[in-house]
């Protein structure tokens, strides 16, 4: 029998809150956080964006978001000062922080050929996970996942693999991303942004809003948690990922890769669809994503599927989304209620279900978080709560 | 895990025969003036990509995609595994950054609202592996990772996990990076002429059986038939101290064949596999005794040893 992977720490920063407690309050109130017109690019419409709560510097912002969420998660896990010889891994997903994409630097390069090298020096300081690992003094494996919008979920999958294969004792895993002009301009060019606050799964949804933040989980071998005297109340039960192999930006029309990923995650967890209480869906509020994802979730879980998208609270935080949404899912399991989908009003007949419109009690022990990404990457994570059988 | 397939593209050309030929000749490809500043660099020749039949599905892809695809699809050829049970892991340091800058060119020239959606979609790190998956009809997990210290070694370690867990029956794991004007400029500003930057890709098909055994660790072991030390990686590496007996090539001896990158271990492993297959030391051609070939890399306080063969 495989050893269980415990979730011993949670950390989160987003527009929904500067930590887990404030995020829970926002989710419980089913209130849409304040948003701002796009502050990072000059666009002809007031594209709403969701900035992270709390004060974070503009320079190196993704690193600071990641560092804050990681420290929160480690404090929650009682691992601020890991014991000697403790192998702590770091696996974070991102999209913005993996690119030398400083526009001022590049503008100066184009103009004068001799730009100040500050941006290049910051980039050369290391990948996001490498920098966070150095900050934490982590001695285990380090890897930065750059799978576009599924990066955070995929990072959790890497962490599960590392732990099962004994490469480390615990992993800080999740994702982080900041608001940036390049994705703002790119998503606008693709025509998938909404001029109003997003409405996941709604009949009249117009597209996504970008957001920023970080979400981190400390995943730990249950034996390690036991040695440290930490109770195991939440588990990362399974992970699945699959490729559409279809198109760079559009999901497979039937959601082939997503369905493979969801079924793989359930099989990895050793459970059937009936064990899942609710799905925290990718739910970006683009026309195609929600229709295709809705179809897959209905095929796997039936038209009675209980589905929520928390992007109405955070915007689409890209590489951070999988991490933030896994934290929200874990909090929901722990607290015993699933949050509402903010922004949903009208049922879309092309989607076989309506998402949750009010907080609902969690009656079963497992929940699923899904992510879809550019490139046709799909990822699904099964989380469970105390009482689940190993 | 076992290494069962290899693909490579580098300044000497595309394909394992090109690598074998370059190593056997003992003459590294000549550096050429690159970019608007004419920085000496080891760029992949246009002919290696333009005439490559493996790239037929990638006619419109950017250079980074083509580099990765050329190597990955060569390593993929003949794989008996069900594509639904095959994964891809692509490691990079800088990703498709030339395409990112093309997108930024659009933003600067035409405004934030008028940049090209096509260029944007190719500028994400996930694009190359996605195109590999599409071309090979692979439906398993696809992972892109980007770090500056030992990213290829982490990719190999994760591939081993996927095979051990039963998540995949085969994994295409590799590394790719491209040159650009900006990268050449930064290399020159940071290090002067200390490094000759390079580009290319190397991919490895990994399975549970067949081919040659491949293992990762942190320490060298006595008795290696050959030890290759990856040095010369754009300032990333630190001298690797070897304290175990074994035939050792001079540190960084092969780096001039592909140039300085943060992914040198992938090219060193490709060279090691060619030597293992041929049973001879390259360059030189001296017989290579049976046994393990080790590839050593170090960055900061981290050190990795890739052991190929028993």
């Amino acid at each position: 029998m495989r050893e269980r992977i415990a979730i011993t720490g949670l950390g989160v920063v987003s527009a929904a809150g500067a930590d887990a407690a404030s995020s829970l309050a926002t989710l419980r109130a089913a209130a849409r956080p304040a948003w701002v017109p796009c502050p990072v690019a000059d666009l002809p419409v007031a594209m709403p964006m969701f900035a992270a709560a709390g004060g974070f510097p503009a320079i190196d912002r993704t690193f600071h978001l990641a560092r804050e969420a990681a420290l929160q998660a480690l404090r929650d896990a009682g691992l601020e000062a890991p014991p000697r010889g403790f192998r702590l891994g770091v696996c974070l997903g991102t999209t913005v922080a993996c690119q030398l994409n400083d526009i001022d630097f590049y503008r100066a390069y184009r103009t004068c050929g001799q730009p100040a090298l500050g941006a290049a020096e910051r980039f050369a300081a290391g990948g996001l996970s490498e920098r966070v690992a150095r900050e934490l003094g982590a001695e285990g494996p380090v890897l930065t996942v750059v799978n576009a919008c599924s990066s955070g979920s995929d990072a959790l999958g890497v962490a599960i693999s590392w732990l099962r294969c004994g490469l480390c004792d615990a992993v800080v895993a999740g994702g982080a991303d900041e608001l940036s002009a390049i994705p703002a301009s790119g998503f606008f060019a693709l025509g998938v942004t909404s001029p109003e606050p997003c409405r996941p799964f709604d009949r009249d949804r117009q597209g996504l809003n970008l957001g920023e933040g970080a979400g981190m989980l400390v995943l730990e071998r249950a034996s390690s948690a036991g040695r440290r005297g930490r109770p195991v109340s939440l588990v990362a039960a399974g992970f699945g990922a699959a490729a559409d192999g279809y198109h760079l930006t559009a999901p497979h029309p039937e959601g082939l890769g997503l369905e493979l990923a969801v079924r793989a995650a359930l099989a990895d967890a050793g459970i059937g669809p009936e064990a899942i209480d609710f799905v925290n869906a990718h739910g970006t509020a683009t026309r195609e994503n929600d229709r295709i994802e809705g179809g897959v979730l209905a095929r796997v879980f039936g038209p009675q599927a209980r589905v929520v998208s928390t992007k109405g609270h955070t915007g689409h935080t890209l590489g951070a989304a999988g991490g933030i949404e896994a934290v929200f899912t874990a909090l929901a399991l722990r607290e015993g209620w699933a949050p509402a989908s903010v922004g949903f009003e009208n049922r879309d007949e092309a989607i076989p279900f309506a998402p949750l419109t009010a907080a609902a009690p969690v009656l079963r022990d497992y929940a699923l978080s899904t992510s879809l990404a550019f490139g046709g990457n799909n990822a699904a994570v099964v989380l469970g709560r105390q009482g689940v059988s190993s | 895990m076992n290494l069962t397939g290899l693909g490579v593209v580098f300044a000497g050309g595309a394909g394992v025969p090109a690598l074998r030929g370059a190593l056997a000749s003992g003459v590294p490809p000549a550096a050429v003036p690159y970019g608007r500043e004419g920085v000496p660099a080891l760029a992949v020749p246009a002919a290696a990509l333009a005439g490559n039949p493996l790239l037929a599905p990638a006619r419109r892809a950017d250079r980074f995609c083509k580099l990765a695809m050329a190597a990955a699809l060569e390593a993929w050829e003949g794989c008996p595994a069900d594509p639904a049970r095959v994964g891809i892991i692509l490691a990079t340091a800088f990703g498709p950054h030339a395409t990112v800058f093309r997108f930024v060119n659009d933003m600067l020239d035409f405004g934030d609202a008028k940049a090209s959606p096509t260029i944007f979609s190719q500028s994400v790190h996930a694009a190359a592996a996605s195109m590999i998956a599409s071309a090979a009809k692979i439906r398993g997990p696809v992972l892109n990772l980007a770090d500056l210290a030992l990213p290829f070694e982490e990719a190999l370690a994760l591939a081993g996990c996927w095979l051990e867990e039963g998540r995949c029956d085969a994994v295409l794991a590799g590394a790719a990076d491209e040159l650009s004007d900006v990268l050449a400029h930064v290399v020159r500003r940071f290090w002067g002429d200390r490094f000759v930057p390079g580009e290319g890709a190397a991919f490895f098909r990994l399975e549970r059986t067949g081919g040659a055994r491949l293992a990762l660790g942190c320490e060298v072991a006595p008795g290696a038939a050959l030890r290759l030390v990856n040095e010369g990686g754009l300032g990333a590496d630190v001298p690797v101290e070897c304290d175990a007996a074994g035939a050792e090539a001079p540190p960084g001896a092969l780096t001039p064949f592909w140039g300085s990158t943060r992914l040198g271990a992938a090219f060193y492993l490709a060279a090691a596999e060619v030597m293992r297959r041929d049973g001879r030391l390259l360059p030189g051609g001296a017989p290579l005794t049976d046994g393990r070939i080790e590839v050593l890399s170090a960055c900061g306080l981290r050190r990795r040893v890739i052991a190929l063969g028993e």
Side-chain angles (χ1 to χ4, degrees):
Chain A
M1 186 174 290
R2 281 195 312 216
E3 182 172 4
R4 287 189 303 164
I5 306 299
I7 300 170
T8 53
L10 300 171
V12 66
V13 181
S14 75
D19 55 22
S22 55
S23 300
L24 264 175
T26 301
L27 295 173
R28 185 73 189 184
R32 189 171 319 253
W35 54 271
V36 294
C38 176
V40 291
D42 183 15
L43 300 173
V45 294
M47 196 165 80
M49 288 191 175
F50 289 86
F56 293 91
I59 300 292
D60 252 357
R61 191 171 177 85
T62 300
F63 168 72
H64 289 286
L65 289 164
R67 178 179 175 276
E68 169 61 22
L71 290 173
Q72 286 181 21
L74 286 170
R75 276 196 297 272
D76 193 30
L79 280 171
E80 305 97 315
R84 177 178 294 212
F86 192 85
R87 297 171 304 163
L88 178 67
V90 178
C91 187
L92 309 180
T94 188
T95 65
V96 173
C98 63
Q99 296 178 338
L100 176 54
N101 55 9
D102 188 291
I103 292 177
D104 291 336
F105 163 82
Y106 186 63
R107 183 186 288 114
Y109 171 77
R110 283 199 345 164
T111 305
C112 72
Q114 293 288 316
L117 288 178
E121 287 165 350
R122 284 192 296 277
F123 184 83
L128 181 65
S129 294
E130 292 169 341
R131 296 185 62 192
V132 170
R134 272 202 300 274
E135 185 86 1
L136 302 177
E139 297 178 1
V142 176
L143 189 156
T144 304
V145 176
V146 290
N147 261 23
C149 304
S150 65
S151 298
S153 293
D154 284 307
L156 296 171
V158 171
I160 290 170
S161 291
W162 282 351
L163 292 165
R164 283 181 181 162
C165 293
L167 298 192
C168 49
D169 301 306
V171 186
V172 179
D177 253 328
E178 67 188 74
L179 292 173
S180 164
I182 292 176
S185 181
F187 280 101
F188 180 81
L190 287 168
V192 295
T193 55
S194 173
E196 62 171 22
C198 66
R199 304 169 69 175
F201 295 109
D202 189 273
R203 180 191 66 199
D204 302 321
R205 63 191 181 279
Q206 296 189 62
L208 60 80
N209 305 144
L210 290 173
E212 65 174 3
M216 308 278 171
L217 295 83
V218 173
L219 303 186
E220 186 169 2
R221 294 158 72 95
S223 58
S224 170
R227 279 194 298 276
R228 298 196 303 113
R230 306 294 295 191
V232 176
S233 59
L234 294 166
V235 296
F239 174 78
D244 281 344
Y246 172 72
H247 192 270
L248 267 186
T249 56
H252 186 281
E254 306 302 323
L256 170 70
L258 177 62
E259 183 165 350
L260 289 171
V262 169
R263 293 194 188 281
L266 294 173
D268 196 42
I271 61 173
E274 69 286 350
I276 295 292
D277 188 275
F278 71 94
V279 179
N280 191 347
H282 193 56
T284 57
T286 65
R287 300 299 308 177
E288 284 299 276
N289 178 92
D290 290 10
R291 181 184 64 78
I292 292 167
E293 187 175 20
V296 168
L297 296 179
R299 276 205 301 281
V300 177
F301 298 101
Q304 77 287 359
R306 302 207 317 160
V307 176
V308 58
S309 166
T310 53
K311 286 191 169 62
H313 292 103
T314 62
H316 188 355
T317 56
L318 304 180
I324 290 171
E325 289 156 23
V327 170
F328 289 171
T329 304
L331 289 170
L333 285 167
R334 191 183 78 188
E335 299 297 313
W337 51 267
S341 277
V342 169
F344 176 85
E345 291 178 7
N346 299 302
R347 174 83 181 264
D348 182 347
E349 294 306 319
I351 298 174
F353 55 79
L356 296 175
T357 53
V362 171
L363 304 174
R364 286 172 277 194
D365 286 332
Y366 294 94
L368 183 81
S369 181
T370 54
S371 295
L372 291 76
F374 262 28
N377 292 322
N378 304 273
V381 187
V382 177
L383 305 181
R385 64 181 177 182
Q386 187 177 22
V388 303
S389 63
S390 59
Chain B
M1 64 183 152
N2 287 28
L3 196 168
T4 58
L6 169 65
V8 65
V9 55
F10 71 117
V16 172
L19 179 61
R20 176 180 286 115
L23 292 173
S25 75
V27 181
V32 296
Y34 184 89
R36 71 186 200 190
E37 296 173 56
V39 174
L42 285 169
V44 172
L49 300 178
N52 193 323
L54 293 171
L55 297 178
R59 190 166 48 90
R60 295 179 183 171
D62 67 6
R63 183 175 181 80
F64 182 81
C65 276
K66 287 179 177 175
L67 293 171
M69 281 187 78
L73 295 179
E74 184 185 14
W76 167 249
E77 282 182 323
C79 181
D82 174 1
R85 299 273 308 152
V86 177
I88 300 171
I89 305 176
L90 169 56
T92 185
F94 305 111
H97 66 283
T99 306
V100 173
F101 289 128
R102 280 174 59 209
F103 185 74
V104 178
N105 279 336
D106 266 13
M107 294 171 65
L108 295 176
D109 292 339
F110 307 117
D112 293 345
K114 294 183 178 173
S116 161
T118 304
I119 298 176
F120 177 65
S121 63
Q122 291 204 347
S123 74
V124 298
H125 278 55
S130 168
M131 295 193 72
I132 295 165
S134 293
K137 311 237 180 298
I138 287 171
R139 297 284 184 272
V142 172
L143 196 78
N144 298 271
L145 57 97
D147 280 304
L148 298 184
L150 311 176
F152 171 68
E153 290 85 341
E154 293 292 6
L156 281 186
L158 184 63
C161 289
W162 284 4
L163 292 168
E164 182 180 333
E165 288 179 285
R167 208 174 281 284
C168 297
D169 293 333
V171 181
L172 283 175
D177 254 331
E178 65 176 346
L179 287 166
S180 73
D181 280 3
V182 177
L183 183 64
H185 172 82
V186 170
V187 168
R188 184 184 62 74
R189 295 273 301 276
F190 276 3
W191 296 294
D193 58 2
R194 183 176 157 207
F195 298 110
V196 176
E199 66 175 357
F203 261 84
F204 304 86
R205 191 172 83 231
L206 305 165
E207 299 177 73
R208 292 189 197 87
T209 59
R213 183 172 154 69
L214 188 70
L216 268 90
C218 295
E219 301 299 329
V220 296
L226 175 65
R227 189 167 292 133
L228 299 171
V229 182
N230 167 32
E231 284 191 13
L234 290 182
D237 46 14
V238 294
V240 180
E241 292 181 7
C242 298
D243 47 10
E248 187 172 317
L254 301 183
T255 302
F257 284 88
W258 40 79
S260 287
T261 80
R262 293 284 177 124
L263 309 169
F267 295 99
Y268 272 92
L269 180 59
E273 171 62 358
V274 169
M275 293 187 224
R276 187 199 66 79
R277 287 179 182 179
D278 293 0
R280 58 180 179 147
L281 190 64
L282 296 174
L288 185 62
T289 58
D290 287 344
R292 191 178 66 256
I293 303 176
E294 291 180 342
V295 175
L296 280 68
S297 299
C299 187
L301 298 176
R302 300 168 65 205
R303 173 156 113 161
R304 290 290 183 275
V305 179
I306 305 169
L308 175 67
E310 295 298 344

